[in-house]
Every structure is written in C-alpha cells, then in structure tokens.
C-alpha cells in the first residue's frame, strides 16, 4: 500500500511568513515526540517562540510528515489531522501549487486539452449524423458503451492501466452512479437526435445550477454569494436561447435538461462515494467500472424499448436517408471511440490540474463544440439566440472563477 501523508495544522490557519526547515534525525524527532521535547529542540536550534516549523520523518516508511506548530506564550492550540494520498488528485490549492511548479508540463497539457476538444467535436458531429438517419438513441448509446467496454478490457488485459479489485460494498456504491451515468448519456443522445447540437450544449450549460442544488441537498454544502450570483446569467442565458431556438421542441429540451439532473446527481454521488471509502478507486478506474456496468444495464433495456434494430431493413432505411450501411457502421464506430476516449482524456487532465482549471477548460470546450457544430451543420442562429448562448457560457465561466473564492476564516 502507498504510504499516507498526514498534514497537521492548528485550528486556526498557519501564518503566511515562511518557516525555517530543520533536517532533524529520526533519533531526535519522531511522530510520537511530545510537545515538551519539541520545545527543548526548538530552543537548541534558536527558533522563534511564536512560530515553529518542523519536518518530521516517519520511522516506518518514507512518508514525510510536515507540521506547522503555532505557540503563543507556551499555550498550545489543538490540531487537526487530515490524510491525503501523495499520487491522488488533491484539493484545489494543491492542484494550483502543482500547476505553478510544473511549467515544463505545459506543452503536454496543451496537447491533451487539444485532443479533448478535438475528440469532443468529432463525437458530436458523428453522433448527430448517425442519430439523424438512425433515430434509435437507446441502441446508439448502448453501442457507444459497448465500444468503451471493449477498450477498457483491452486496457486492463494489456496492462496499460492497473486493473482494480472491486469489493461488494464498492460495487453496491458504484451501481447508483452507473444508473445515473447511463440515464444521462441516453437523455443527451435523445436531445441531440431531436434538436441542434448547439442547442443541446447550450441547455447543458445549466449543469452548474444543478451542481449547486444537489451539493446543498445531498452534501449540505452552502454556496457563497459569488457562486449564487454566477448562476443568474446561466439561467437567464439558457432561457433566452431557448425562446429563440429555431429547432426547439419539448422532447429535445426536456431530455437535455433531464440529462443535467442525472449527470450532476452522478457527480455529487461520486464525490460522496470517494469521500466515504477508505480505499476508493481512482478517477480512471471508477469511470471504467461505471462504463462497463452502464453497458450491461442499457443493452437489455435498449432491446426492450426499441427492439433489435440491427436488421438489414433498418440499416437500409438509414441508407435511404443519406448514409449507406458502410458509412453508418464506420461513423457509429468512430462516435463510440471518440465518446469513450474524450471522457478518458478528461479524467487524465483532471489528475494533472486543479478542479477549477478543469472547469474552465470544460467551459471553453463547450464553446468550441457549439461553434464547430454551428459551422459544420450550418445551423441557423439568430442574434438574440447567440446573445443568450454567450450570456449562459459567460455565466459558466464566472461560476468556475467563483469556485476559487474561499470564505474568510472566522475570528476566534
């Protein structure tokens, strides 16, 4: 097992001025060192009476334990202990430190963001082309999950990524996430099949609204005033764009809005799951397990809802509308490949950057997808519709920035 690093901090925040580090030997200082011994050691090394900064070394492993001790007139405050995996994605502040110190990784990150956006563009184009002539969203979604399942099995079989060991309790916790993931993607495909791709993604800009709502209901997280304020242009922009959308219909609008609800409930439940489990899965393996379960759930459901739609008559019907059988199969495969790969790349980026940076990147991705789909499909867009879309996307950007603002600590 990987060693766990514990960061000890007092109940009040540590002072900003930097502390001097001491390279003490394990014989001098151990995790069980008492406060009196710390006081003696600090006086030998002539440290300030107000601030002590020690670097502790664990005797049992290579894990380094950093502590910042504040003493005032030899009255000691209480300490909080929080555990963090060194290799796992940390909090936003840790991610920002990683970014500022990892400038050499900027070209790699830029390439990964480019791949993420490009795969997203191609997925939406191929997916819309398939659904336009083959209007069976449950069958198409099940096929996309099947493509992802095959890729995951190959990834594990070829040892490209470590295969997880799933316990029954973990499987029981993941199952609701898989159900929400399945419903979210199915509803998105229903919407894309009914309305323009640009309109579907404009509606999906409402995701932050449901994130805040479900976080408050399920996790008891109270948003600050800046986060709440950023939701106003999001809701207003989506409403304005909806009123002026040429391809508007209630099935397309309702299914896109329902996909927001299912996807954000999945994200909140996923966060709850990752916090509760002592040995939780990493992001990539969690997504992989969810994808496999989604395929197992959706395949019989698609047959029950739509029947077997791979018969020659249905394929020929699609061919009569502009795509021959070969083109339909190739574009379905490409859509399935892009569908799984862009989400996998998204999780890889999330492990390299802070959640706030990832959210900003996701906002830019939505802009790129909307613009590219309007250009490719030559979707008619009115000036008021463009204004509503722009206002909604600006609200999403403001939301991602507002998440950086942390409440000021209360005075003790």
């Amino acid at each position: 097992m990987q060693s766990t690093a514990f960061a000890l901090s007092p109940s009040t925040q540590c002072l900003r001025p930097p502390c001097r580090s001491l390279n003490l030997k394990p014989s001098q200082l151990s995790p069980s060192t008492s406060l009196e011994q710390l006081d003696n050691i600090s006086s030998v090394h002539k440290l300030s009476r107000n601030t002590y900064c020690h670097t502790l070394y664990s005797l049992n492993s290579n894990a380094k334990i950093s502590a910042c001790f504040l003493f005032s007139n030899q009255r000691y405050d209480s300490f909080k202990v929080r555990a963090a995996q060194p290799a796992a994605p940390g909090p936003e502040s840790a991610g920002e430190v990683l970014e500022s110190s990892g400038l050499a990784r900027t070209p790699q990150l830029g390439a990964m963001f480019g791949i993420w956006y490009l795969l997203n563009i191609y997925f939406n184009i191929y997916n819309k082309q398939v659904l336009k002539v083959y209007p069976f969203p449950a069958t198409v979604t099940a096929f996309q999950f099947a493509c992802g399942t095959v890729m995951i099995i190959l990834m594990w079989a070829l040892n490209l990524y470590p295969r997880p060991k799933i316990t029954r309790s973990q499987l029981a916790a993941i199952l609701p996430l898989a159900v929400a993931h399945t419903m979210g993607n199915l509803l998105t495909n229903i919407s894309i099949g009914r309305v323009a791709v640009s309109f579907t993604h404009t509606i999906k800009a409402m995701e932050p609204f449901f994130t805040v709502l479900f976080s408050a209901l399920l996790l008891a997280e109270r948003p600050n005033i800046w986060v709440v304020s950023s939701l106003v242009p999001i809701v207003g922009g989506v409403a304005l764009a909806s009123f002026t959308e040429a391809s508007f219909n209630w099935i397309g609008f309702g299914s896109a809005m329902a996909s927001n609800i299912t996807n954000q409930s999945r994200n909140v439940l996923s966060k709850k799951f990752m916090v509760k489990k002592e040995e939780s899965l990493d992001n990539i393996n969690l997504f992989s397990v969810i994808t496999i379960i989604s395929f197992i759930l959706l395949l019989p459901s698609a047959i029950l809802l739509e029947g077997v739609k791979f018969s020659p008559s249905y394929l020929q019907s699609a061919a009569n509308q502009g795509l021959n059988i070969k083109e339909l199969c190739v574009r379905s495969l490409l859509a399935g490949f892009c569908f799984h790969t862009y989400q996998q790349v998204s999780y890889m980026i999330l492990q390299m950057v802070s959640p706030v940076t990832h959210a900003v990147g996701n906002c830019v991705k939505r802009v790129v997808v909307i613009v590219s789909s309007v250009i490719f499909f030559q979707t008619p867009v009115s000036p008021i519709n463009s204004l509503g879309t722009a206002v909604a996307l600006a609200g999403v950007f403001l939301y991602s920035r507002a998440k950086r603002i942390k409440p000021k600590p209360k005075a003790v």
Side-chain angles (χ1 to χ4, degrees):
M1 286 183 64
Q2 293 181 340
S3 58
T4 304
F6 292 89
L8 284 71
S9 61
S11 55
T12 56
Q13 290 188 344
C14 292
L15 296 178
R16 286 294 180 186
C19 304
R20 290 190 298 165
S21 298
L22 293 179
N23 295 324
L24 302 179
K25 298 180 181 180
S27 59
Q28 290 180 275
L29 195 58
S30 67
S32 60
T33 305
S34 65
L35 293 176
E36 288 77 14
Q37 291 172 314
L38 286 172
D39 196 22
N40 294 334
I41 293 173
S42 64
S43 62
V44 171
H45 290 272
K46 299 181 181 180
L47 288 181
S48 169
R49 292 180 59 84
N50 294 326
T51 306
Y52 296 92
C53 185
H54 301 292
T55 302
L56 310 181
Y57 292 88
S58 173
L59 298 177
N60 299 325
S61 65
N62 293 326
K64 183 179 289 184
I65 305 177
S66 299
C68 185
F69 299 95
L70 267 72
F71 301 110
S72 178
N73 297 327
Q74 299 203 5
R75 290 167 56 187
Y76 306 119
D77 294 325
S78 59
F79 290 88
K80 298 177 183 178
V81 179
R82 51 185 176 84
Q85 292 293 340
E92 293 178 8
S93 58
E96 291 165 1
V97 172
L98 177 63
E99 290 177 310
S100 62
S101 63
L103 296 178
R105 302 171 67 181
T106 302
Q108 180 187 1
L109 272 176
M112 292 184 70
F113 271 101
I115 293 171
W116 184 24
Y117 294 171
L118 194 63
L119 289 170
N120 234 286
I121 292 171
Y122 277 109
F123 165 70
N124 283 279
I125 290 174
Y126 291 138
N127 198 30
K128 178 64 176 179
Q129 290 177 330
V130 170
L131 288 169
K132 190 175 181 179
V133 301
Y134 191 75
F136 306 109
T139 302
V140 170
T141 309
F143 181 78
Q144 291 168 358
F145 282 134
C147 293
T149 299
V150 172
M151 294 172 66
I152 291 165
I153 292 173
L154 289 175
M155 177 183 71
W156 287 340
L158 298 176
N159 292 323
L160 300 177
Y161 201 82
R163 182 173 55 185
K165 294 181 180 179
I166 309 296
T167 64
R168 290 185 178 181
S169 60
Q170 285 179 325
L171 191 61
I174 293 173
L175 186 59
L177 309 182
V179 172
H181 182 70
T182 305
M183 292 299 298
N185 284 279
L186 174 59
L187 291 165
T188 299
N189 278 346
I190 293 174
S191 179
I192 289 177
R194 294 279 184 161
V195 297
V197 174
S198 57
F199 183 49
T200 297
H201 282 276
T202 300
I203 299 170
K204 288 179 72 64
M206 282 277 290
E207 286 180 349
F209 173 83
F210 293 102
T211 299
V212 173
L213 178 63
F214 290 134
S215 295
L217 294 177
L218 301 179
L219 301 179
E221 293 182 358
R222 298 182 61 182
N224 59 47
I225 186 63
W226 301 109
V227 169
V228 175
S229 299
S230 69
L231 299 179
V232 176
I234 295 176
V235 176
V238 170
L240 185 61
S242 300
F243 290 147
T244 57
E245 173 60 36
S247 65
F248 180 89
N249 69 69
W250 284 107
I251 296 178
F253 175 82
S255 57
M257 196 64 71
S259 74
N260 285 336
I261 296 174
T262 54
N263 283 334
Q264 296 316 301
S265 62
R266 174 201 65 193
N267 292 345
V268 172
L269 288 172
S270 177
K271 182 178 179 181
K272 198 171 183 179
F273 164 74
M274 296 294 285
V275 169
K276 278 189 171 183
K277 295 298 173 183
E278 294 180 359
E279 296 182 358
S280 57
L281 301 176
D282 61 70
N283 287 334
I284 294 178
N285 274 330
L286 179 60
F287 168 68
S288 299
V289 173
I290 287 175
T291 298
I292 295 174
I293 297 176
S294 295
F295 169 64
I296 296 172
L297 292 175
L298 189 56
L299 181 61
S301 301
I303 295 174
L304 183 64
L305 292 172
E306 299 176 345
V308 179
K309 300 303 182 182
F310 289 104
S311 62
S313 60
Y314 286 105
L315 297 176
Q316 187 60 43
S317 175
N320 294 335
Q321 300 182 54
L323 284 182
N324 60 45
I325 296 176
K326 181 180 179 181
E327 289 176 334
L328 177 64
C329 293
V330 169
R331 295 185 190 192
S332 297
L333 283 170
L334 289 173
F337 170 80
C338 294
F339 170 74
H340 179 77
T341 308
Y342 90 74
Q343 295 186 76
Q344 196 83 291
V345 173
S346 174
Y347 278 110
M348 292 170 65
I349 293 174
L350 184 58
Q351 289 186 336
M352 299 174 65
V353 302
S354 68
V356 172
T357 301
H358 190 273
V360 173
N362 193 54
C363 176
V364 175
K365 178 212 73 176
R366 201 171 298 285
V367 175
V368 171
V369 170
I370 290 175
V371 173
S372 61
S373 65
V374 167
I375 294 173
F376 184 86
F377 293 109
Q378 298 182 348
T379 306
V381 180
S382 66
I384 298 178
N385 184 275
S386 301
L387 176 63
T389 301
V391 169
L393 294 174
V396 174
F397 178 78
L398 291 175
Y399 168 80
S400 65
R401 305 304 296 176
K403 294 290 287 183
R404 296 177 69 105
I405 302 175
K406 300 182 181 297
K408 294 181 179 180
K410 297 179 180 180
V412 178

